[in-house]
Amino acid sequence: MSNIFIGTIPALMTPCTAERKPDFDALVRKGKELIEIGMSAVVYCGSMGDWPLLTEAERQEGVAHLVAAGVPTIVGTGAVNSREAVAHAAHAAKVGAHGLMVIPRVLSRGASPAAQEAHFSAILAAAPNLPAVIYNSPYYGFATRAELFFKLRRQYPNLVGFKEFGGAADMRYAAEHITSQDDSVILMAGVDTQVVHGFVNCGATGAITGIGNALPREVLQLVELSRQAAKGDAVARRRAWELSEALNVLSSFDEGTDLVLYYKHLMVLNGDQEYRLHFNESDALSDAQRRYAETQYQLFRQWYANWSAAA
């Protein structure tokens, strides 16, 4: 089983047509562009892809388009019931996707470890040849701990690791109690503000990124500096923290409820007009939010140009 969970992996957003339907051609163009820049794979549909706003058929059509275009694709399995999550996993395996991001059961019995074990098991069993990571996030209302993780892994060897979307303490828990038990278990830094901490202090092998959609080269550089810092390179460590700090406001959009609105707006600032619309017309940044994002984006770009020139 090949390991797709390495390197830098953007969580793709879903561009919209004028009718506010998924624009699969634009989705594929962006996926291919990011791979050509240096990303190792893409995720679709995670929360960045607006999975709750798409139909089951729309999500699977997007996956099929990406895979057919040769884009290494990790499929999000978020759903309000286990049957649909299993259907997404089975479809991913059928069309030749490269991995699964297994999202906990939400709403119904979401806090129950027994319910989550059954949910995870059903997804993993539906695609036994696809490597999978559990998406651990406080926003889903359930924290997968070491006992459950290894119980699942003993039965489903395709469970290869964690995407940790919690903060610094959650990342450290995963490193201290899960990945340090088994060197073959992967830890992905799943929140943009914790990339350096994830690599340097927690042994992450990759990063799943939101801001990397808008600033792919800068995020690739951040991950590479973090890799070097994790090997003891003091200069790389200093530069990684400098770059992370400069990115901090833009990266922190990843932690809020308006993350898709912000990152689509940054894409539009880059010239990607197909990201101007959202599926719900009422989903929009306020004028103040938009001005703030634009100010911070311009500030980062100016800083980055000067910082790069001074290197």
Side-chain angles (χ1 to χ4, degrees), residues 47-123:
S47 53
M48 285 282 290
D50 275 330
W51 69 259
L53 305 183
L54 303 179
T55 68
E56 185 173 344
E58 286 171 338
R59 290 172 62 178
Q60 293 182 3
E61 186 174 354
V63 169
H65 275 77
L66 288 164
V67 173
V71 178
T73 303
I74 298 162
V75 177
T77 64
V80 295
N81 64 70
S82 296
R83 288 189 302 276
E84 186 174 332
V86 166
H88 289 305
H91 176 266
K94 178 181 177 180
V95 299
H98 301 79
L100 294 179
M101 192 167 68
V102 182
I103 295 172
R105 180 172 172 173
V106 294
L107 300 179
S108 170
R109 300 187 69 218
S112 165
Q116 294 292 359
E117 180 182 347
H119 179 78
F120 291 144
S121 295
I123 295 168

Side-chain angles (χ1 to χ4, degrees), residues 132-143:
V133 295
I134 287 177
Y135 182 172
N136 211 45
S137 169
Y139 295 97
Y140 289 117
F142 183 80

Side-chain angles (χ1 to χ4, degrees), residues 166-181:
D170 295 297
M171 192 85 70
R172 178 169 171 175
Y173 173 88
E176 188 171 352
H177 298 284
I178 297 177
T179 58
S180 292
Q181 283 199 46

Side-chain angles (χ1 to χ4, degrees), residues 130-153:
L130 286 185
V133 295
I134 287 177
Y135 182 172
N136 211 45
S137 169
Y139 295 97
Y140 289 117
F142 183 80
T144 302
R145 294 311 192 197
E147 182 180 1
L148 176 56
F149 178 85
F150 284 107
K151 183 178 182 181
L152 290 165
R153 184 167 160 83

Side-chain angles (χ1 to χ4, degrees), residues 222-297:
L222 175 62
V223 169
E224 182 55 32
L225 287 170
S226 298
R227 284 185 190 280
Q228 295 171 19
K231 296 176 182 178
D233 187 325
V235 173
R237 185 166 181 156
R238 172 180 57 80
R239 287 177 57 77
W241 280 116
E242 289 173 351
L243 181 51
S244 179
E245 176 61 26
L247 272 169
N248 189 59
V249 170
L250 302 176
S251 294
S252 71
F253 294 151
D254 193 27
E255 301 172 338
T257 56
D258 291 334
L259 76 167
V260 176
L261 309 188
Y262 275 116
Y263 289 147
K264 278 194 171 184
H265 186 56
L266 298 187
M267 300 282 279
V268 172
L269 296 180
N270 286 347
D272 294 318
Q273 294 301 317
E274 58 268 37
Y275 290 90
R276 182 173 295 279
L277 297 179
H278 301 279
F279 293 106
N280 293 326
E281 188 173 355
S282 60
D283 288 342
L285 295 174
S286 68
D287 288 343
Q289 286 177 306
R290 192 165 52 252
R291 286 194 295 269
Y292 180 68
E294 291 169 0
T295 298
Q296 291 298 317
Y297 199 45

Side-chain angles (χ1 to χ4, degrees), residues 148-226:
L148 176 56
F149 178 85
F150 284 107
K151 183 178 182 181
L152 290 165
R153 184 167 160 83
R154 284 191 292 271
Q155 188 171 356
Y156 304 102
N158 55 320
L159 177 59
V160 299
F162 253 64
K163 176 202 170 182
E164 180 54 71
F165 193 82
D170 295 297
M171 192 85 70
R172 178 169 171 175
Y173 173 88
E176 188 171 352
H177 298 284
I178 297 177
T179 58
S180 292
Q181 283 199 46
D182 184 340
D183 289 341
S184 66
V185 175
I186 292 161
L187 177 62
M188 301 291 292
V191 59
D192 285 315
T193 55
Q194 299 297 325
V195 170
V196 181
H197 173 61
F199 277 88
V200 174
N201 300 322
C202 303
T205 61
I208 295 177
T209 176
I211 187 60
N213 285 276
L215 294 167
R217 292 175 178 84
E218 293 83 351
V219 171
L220 283 164
Q221 183 177 14
L222 175 62
V223 169
E224 182 55 32
L225 287 170
S226 298

